[in-house]
Amino acid sequence: MPEVSRRQFLASTAAAMAAPFISTSSTRARAQESGKLGVAICGLGKLSTDQIAPALMKTRHCRLAGIVTGTPAKAEAWKAKYGIPAGNVYSYDTMDRMADNPDIDLVYVVTPNALHAQHTIQAAQAGKHVFCEKPLEISVERCQQMIDACRNAGRLLGTAYRCQYDPHHLECIRLVREEVFGKPTILQAGFAIDVGVADQWRLKRALAGGGALMDVGIYALQATRYLTGEEPIAVSAQQTSTDPVKFAEVDESVVWTTRFPSGVVAYCSTSYKAGRIQNLRVNAERGWFELDPAFFYGGNHGRRSDGKEIRYPEIDLFAAEMDDFARCIIERKPTRVPGEEGLRDVRIMQAIYESVRTGKTVSLA
């Protein structure tokens, strides 16, 4: 399986590792004894139920040790299903009590976007490492608060960018880095889903911070960054809506263009209603390659202009990202997906929204 250039990820994690990283002797001792770190899932919605908890059962370095929920019925169901001790069950108001629980080493935050900072800070102040779902938060300022809280506590903060562990995406990165088809010129990336019913937190600005862009467009945005290994210098964007009632508070569809220092241009799109958009394509000097589908939990695959396929055996991406984060904690190494990486994407998304509002190109240089 191809490996991504260490230079790209080490550069993005330098700031995260500037402060002392505390890995307590008790944490390391438990990891050495059992081989696994105790994980508490904060937020027991569909993603946690259908993907994260089952993935934890497959990991080599993690185990489901606790839960945080505001719904007593969910707490009882999870306790029964996974054998979670009553002492490892918390509400959002009692997370500070984790400080007295050595059975929990890290918290996986899976609550609505605008609650990520609150729950990350609570976990860090309780002495726990934090792995947080994307987007890291809904503003750069809140992202920075999360980063500062974890740094001050000497704990590691990671952003759940599962595609950075997908062998298909890693192969695409290798093709760019090794210039197999020459230097990239134009990138295309898009991800759209049917968001479903109107009465949900994803369509409420106070909880989601944004719509399709924040939720699934971020995958396309991230991909253009780790494929080029560069940060965009300018962005221009447009927003459209076919249902102004359902999408009164958040964006339904957004298209944007980003320019990179090398001259590469990326054309991206996202939508909560636009049907089948799930692709990633790199056009280069001597050919092209693409993934379609590109951003699913499984089943991603692609092809190249020379007729070869891009197809690897299926892995559980949630298990892969959690195992890697746990290894970073145990071995006191930087993570490839630190909080700073999440902050960069939020900064760019804010610029995309600014371009939508003003109708102008926004400089990121």
Side-chain angles (χ1 to χ4, degrees), residues 163 166-173 223 226-227 280 291 294-295 300:
C163 288
D166 186 329
H168 303 87
H169 285 253
L170 295 177
E171 171 64 359
C172 288
I173 295 172
Y226 58 67
L227 280 171
L280 174 63
L291 298 180
F295 305 110
N300 298 327

Side-chain angles (χ1 to χ4, degrees), residues 28-84:
R28 294 175 64 83
R30 288 195 305 277
Q32 291 169 357
E33 181 179 345
S34 67
K36 297 188 175 185
L37 298 183
V39 179
I41 300 178
C42 179
L44 305 183
K46 183 176 176 60
L47 185 66
S48 295
T49 301
D50 296 346
Q51 303 297 331
I52 296 172
L56 275 169
M57 302 300 106
K58 305 174 188 177
T59 56
R60 296 179 58 190
H61 303 290
C62 303
R63 59 185 176 83
L64 178 56
I67 53 175
V68 182
T69 179
T71 308
K74 286 185 179 181
E76 291 304 315
W78 279 62
K79 282 167 59 180
K81 183 173 183 178
Y82 293 106
I84 299 171

Side-chain angles (χ1 to χ4, degrees), residues 291-340:
L291 298 180
D292 192 352
F295 305 110
F296 288 176
Y297 297 153
N300 298 327
H301 62 274
R303 59 196 181 114
R304 304 166 22 158
S305 57
D306 58 7
K308 295 181 180 179
E309 279 193 300
I310 303 175
R311 189 183 293 270
Y312 290 90
E314 290 289 321
I315 66 169
D316 189 310
L317 299 179
F318 292 92
E321 66 180 356
M322 285 187 283
D323 259 341
D324 185 69
F325 190 66
R327 281 194 298 269
C328 291
I329 293 171
I330 295 167
E331 299 172 12
R332 302 185 65 181
K333 300 193 305 186
T335 170
R336 70 177 66 172
V337 288
E340 286 81 2

Side-chain angles (χ1 to χ4, degrees), residues 84-229:
I84 299 171
N88 288 7
V89 177
Y90 300 88
S91 71
Y92 298 116
D93 295 326
T94 62
M95 288 180 66
D96 60 304
R97 297 178 187 172
M98 288 185 186
D100 300 320
N101 191 344
D103 199 36
I104 295 173
D105 299 295
L106 70 100
V107 176
Y108 192 152
V109 175
V110 202
T111 48
N113 305 340
L115 301 179
H116 288 178
Q118 173 187 335
H119 298 142
T120 293
I121 293 169
Q122 287 175 287
Q125 290 176 342
K128 309 304 176 183
H129 303 280
V130 181
F131 198 61
C132 184
E133 263 305 318
K134 57 80 201 161
L136 191 63
E137 245 286 356
I138 65 171
S139 72
V140 168
E141 293 75 19
R142 292 192 187 185
C143 290
Q144 190 62 56
Q145 290 171 8
M146 296 165 69
I147 293 167
D148 292 343
C150 290
R151 180 182 292 120
N152 292 339
R155 292 297 181 260
L156 201 59
L157 172 62
T159 315
Y161 284 134
R162 57 180 172 77
C163 288
Q164 291 211 25
Y165 300 88
D166 186 329
H168 303 87
H169 285 253
L170 295 177
E171 171 64 359
C172 288
I173 295 172
R174 183 192 70 84
L175 293 173
V176 172
R177 295 291 179 275
E178 297 181 6
E179 298 187 1
V180 174
F181 295 97
K183 295 184 182 299
T185 55
I186 296 175
L187 274 59
Q188 297 165 273
F191 195 15
I193 63 170
D194 180 351
V195 74
V197 298
D199 186 21
Q200 58 172 295
W201 69 264
R202 286 178 176 81
L203 301 181
K204 302 181 187 304
R205 181 172 296 277
L207 289 175
L213 177 62
M214 280 273 187
D215 190 11
V216 292
I218 191 172
Y219 288 103
L221 172 60
Q222 252 271 308
T224 63
R225 291 181 53 242
Y226 58 67
L227 280 171
T228 61

